[in-house]
Amino acid sequence: MRKFLSFAILSLGIISNITFVNAGEKYEEKTDRFKGTKTANYNAKLNSECKLTKSLKSRLGYCLFFHSTESSKNPSIMLGTTADGWELLSYQSNSFAPTIITYDNGKEEITKLPVKYYGDVLSGGTVVETAIIEMGEIKDELKNISKMEFQFGSAEYFWINDKELTNKALNFVDS
Protein backbone atom coordinates (compact mmCIF):
# COMPACT_ATOMS: atom_id res chain seq x y z
CA MET A 1 0.00 0.00 0.00
CA ARG A 2 2.91 2.36 0.74
CA LYS A 3 4.27 1.87 -2.79
CA PHE A 4 0.85 2.61 -4.25
CA LEU A 5 0.52 5.69 -2.05
CA SER A 6 3.89 6.98 -3.23
CA PHE A 7 2.93 6.30 -6.85
CA ALA A 8 -0.43 8.04 -6.39
CA ILE A 9 1.21 11.11 -4.88
CA LEU A 10 3.77 11.38 -7.66
CA SER A 11 1.27 10.68 -10.42
CA LEU A 12 -1.08 13.36 -9.12
CA GLY A 13 1.52 16.06 -9.66
CA ILE A 14 3.01 16.50 -6.22
CA ILE A 15 6.52 17.59 -7.02
CA SER A 16 8.89 19.52 -4.80
CA ASN A 17 7.09 22.76 -5.76
CA ILE A 18 3.74 21.33 -4.61
CA THR A 19 1.84 21.99 -7.80
CA PHE A 20 -1.59 20.42 -7.80
CA VAL A 21 -3.55 19.77 -10.94
CA ASN A 22 -7.14 18.64 -10.72
CA ALA A 23 -6.87 15.34 -12.57
CA GLY A 24 -10.61 15.16 -13.16
CA GLU A 25 -12.26 11.77 -13.40
CA LYS A 26 -9.37 9.78 -14.83
CA TYR A 27 -10.35 6.12 -14.52
CA GLU A 28 -7.62 3.48 -14.62
CA GLU A 29 -7.70 -0.27 -14.37
CA LYS A 30 -4.69 -2.59 -14.17
CA THR A 31 -4.12 -6.31 -13.80
CA ASP A 32 -0.90 -7.67 -12.29
CA ARG A 33 0.27 -10.24 -14.85
CA PHE A 34 2.06 -12.34 -12.23
CA LYS A 35 -0.44 -12.39 -9.36
CA GLY A 36 -3.66 -11.73 -11.29
CA THR A 37 -4.53 -8.92 -8.86
CA LYS A 38 -6.88 -6.34 -10.34
CA THR A 39 -6.93 -2.69 -9.34
CA ALA A 40 -9.11 0.19 -10.47
CA ASN A 41 -9.22 3.82 -9.40
CA TYR A 42 -10.47 7.25 -10.31
CA ASN A 43 -9.94 10.79 -9.08
CA ALA A 44 -12.94 12.62 -7.66
CA LYS A 45 -13.19 16.23 -8.83
CA LEU A 46 -11.72 18.48 -6.16
CA ASN A 47 -14.02 21.09 -4.65
CA SER A 48 -17.10 19.57 -6.27
CA GLU A 49 -17.15 15.78 -5.80
CA CYS A 50 -14.63 15.89 -2.95
CA LYS A 51 -13.98 18.70 -0.48
CA LEU A 52 -12.05 19.39 2.68
CA THR A 53 -14.84 21.04 4.67
CA LYS A 54 -12.94 21.66 7.91
CA SER A 55 -9.23 21.97 8.58
CA LEU A 56 -6.87 23.90 10.81
CA LYS A 57 -4.31 24.58 8.07
CA SER A 58 -4.38 21.94 5.34
CA ARG A 59 -5.64 22.07 1.77
CA LEU A 60 -6.98 19.13 -0.22
CA GLY A 61 -4.54 17.84 -2.83
CA TYR A 62 -6.21 14.68 -4.07
CA CYS A 63 -9.19 12.42 -3.56
CA LEU A 64 -8.76 8.97 -5.08
CA PHE A 65 -11.33 6.16 -5.08
CA PHE A 66 -9.39 2.88 -5.16
CA HIS A 67 -10.47 -0.75 -5.45
CA SER A 68 -8.35 -3.91 -5.58
CA THR A 69 -8.83 -7.65 -5.35
CA GLU A 70 -5.77 -7.65 -3.08
CA SER A 71 -7.73 -6.95 0.12
CA SER A 72 -11.27 -7.24 1.48
CA LYS A 73 -10.70 -3.81 3.07
CA ASN A 74 -11.22 -2.30 -0.39
CA PRO A 75 -12.65 -0.23 -1.88
CA SER A 76 -11.04 2.76 -0.22
CA ILE A 77 -10.90 6.51 -0.58
CA MET A 78 -7.51 8.19 -0.29
CA LEU A 79 -7.89 11.76 0.96
CA GLY A 80 -4.62 13.66 0.69
CA THR A 81 -3.80 17.08 2.09
CA THR A 82 -0.77 19.32 2.22
CA ALA A 83 0.17 21.91 4.81
CA ASP A 84 3.14 23.79 6.19
CA GLY A 85 3.58 21.44 9.13
CA TRP A 86 1.67 18.51 10.56
CA GLU A 87 -2.04 18.70 11.21
CA LEU A 88 -3.10 15.05 11.49
CA LEU A 89 0.05 13.30 12.75
CA SER A 90 -1.14 13.17 16.36
CA TYR A 91 -4.23 11.23 15.19
CA GLN A 92 -2.24 8.50 13.42
CA SER A 93 -3.26 5.91 16.03
CA ASN A 94 -6.99 6.44 15.27
CA SER A 95 -8.27 3.26 13.66
CA PHE A 96 -11.77 4.49 12.78
CA ALA A 97 -13.17 7.63 11.16
CA PRO A 98 -16.61 8.88 12.21
CA THR A 99 -18.70 8.80 9.02
CA ILE A 100 -22.08 10.14 7.94
CA ILE A 101 -23.53 8.16 5.04
CA THR A 102 -26.38 9.66 3.01
CA TYR A 103 -28.36 7.20 0.89
CA ASP A 104 -30.21 7.96 -2.35
CA ASN A 105 -33.53 8.01 -0.47
CA GLY A 106 -32.24 10.79 1.83
CA LYS A 107 -31.75 8.56 4.87
CA GLU A 108 -28.63 9.35 6.90
CA GLU A 109 -26.63 6.88 8.94
CA ILE A 110 -23.84 7.73 11.38
CA THR A 111 -21.19 5.03 11.65
CA LYS A 112 -17.43 4.55 11.82
CA LEU A 113 -15.23 3.18 9.04
CA PRO A 114 -11.69 1.84 9.34
CA VAL A 115 -8.99 4.39 8.51
CA LYS A 116 -5.24 4.28 7.88
CA TYR A 117 -2.95 7.31 8.10
CA TYR A 118 0.23 8.05 6.15
CA GLY A 119 2.33 11.18 6.37
CA ASP A 120 5.51 12.32 4.71
CA VAL A 121 7.63 15.46 4.40
CA LEU A 122 7.77 16.72 0.82
CA SER A 123 10.18 19.66 1.07
CA GLY A 124 11.11 22.11 3.77
CA GLY A 125 8.27 22.15 6.26
CA THR A 126 5.60 21.08 3.74
CA VAL A 127 4.00 17.76 4.52
CA VAL A 128 1.51 15.52 2.77
CA GLU A 129 -0.93 13.63 4.97
CA THR A 130 -3.26 10.93 3.70
CA ALA A 131 -6.27 9.40 5.40
CA ILE A 132 -7.36 6.18 3.70
CA ILE A 133 -10.98 5.34 4.48
CA GLU A 134 -11.57 1.61 4.02
CA MET A 135 -15.08 0.85 2.73
CA GLY A 136 -14.98 -2.94 2.40
CA GLU A 137 -17.75 -3.37 4.96
CA ILE A 138 -20.12 -1.11 2.98
CA LYS A 139 -19.01 -2.17 -0.52
CA ASP A 140 -22.39 -3.67 -1.44
CA GLU A 141 -24.20 -0.52 -0.26
CA LEU A 142 -22.17 1.90 -2.41
CA LYS A 143 -24.66 1.60 -5.27
CA ASN A 144 -27.29 3.20 -2.97
CA ILE A 145 -25.06 5.85 -1.36
CA SER A 146 -25.15 9.40 -2.73
CA LYS A 147 -22.55 11.02 -0.46
CA MET A 148 -20.43 10.55 2.65
CA GLU A 149 -18.73 12.79 5.18
CA PHE A 150 -15.65 11.68 7.10
CA GLN A 151 -13.87 13.10 10.11
CA PHE A 152 -10.24 12.31 10.81
CA GLY A 153 -8.74 14.28 13.66
CA SER A 154 -9.25 17.99 13.07
CA ALA A 155 -10.11 17.50 9.37
CA GLU A 156 -13.51 16.83 7.84
CA TYR A 157 -14.09 15.65 4.29
CA PHE A 158 -17.11 15.51 1.97
CA TRP A 159 -17.34 13.00 -0.92
CA ILE A 160 -20.07 12.68 -3.55
CA ASN A 161 -20.30 9.17 -4.97
CA ASP A 162 -19.79 9.20 -8.75
CA LYS A 163 -22.00 6.15 -9.31
CA GLU A 164 -20.81 5.46 -12.84
CA LEU A 165 -17.10 5.46 -12.03
CA THR A 166 -17.58 3.72 -8.67
CA ASN A 167 -19.49 0.93 -10.42
CA LYS A 168 -16.75 0.61 -13.04
CA ALA A 169 -14.10 0.36 -10.33
CA LEU A 170 -16.06 -2.15 -8.24
CA ASN A 171 -16.63 -4.39 -11.26
CA PHE A 172 -13.24 -3.77 -12.91
CA VAL A 173 -14.77 -2.53 -16.15
CA ASP A 174 -12.03 -1.55 -18.55
CA SER A 175 -12.77 1.77 -20.24
Side-chain angles (χ1 to χ4, degrees), residues 152-163:
F152 184 72
S154 55
E156 294 180 9
Y157 308 88
F158 174 81
W159 176 72
I160 295 175
N161 187 5
D162 184 320
K163 300 269 182 87

Side-chain angles (χ1 to χ4, degrees), residues 137-154:
E137 62 190 56
I138 61 166
K139 177 182 173 182
D140 295 335
E141 298 173 46
L142 280 170
K143 64 181 175 280
N144 300 316
I145 293 174
S146 60
K147 62 185 177 181
M148 293 197 286
E149 297 173 67
F150 312 101
Q151 181 184 48
F152 184 72
S154 55

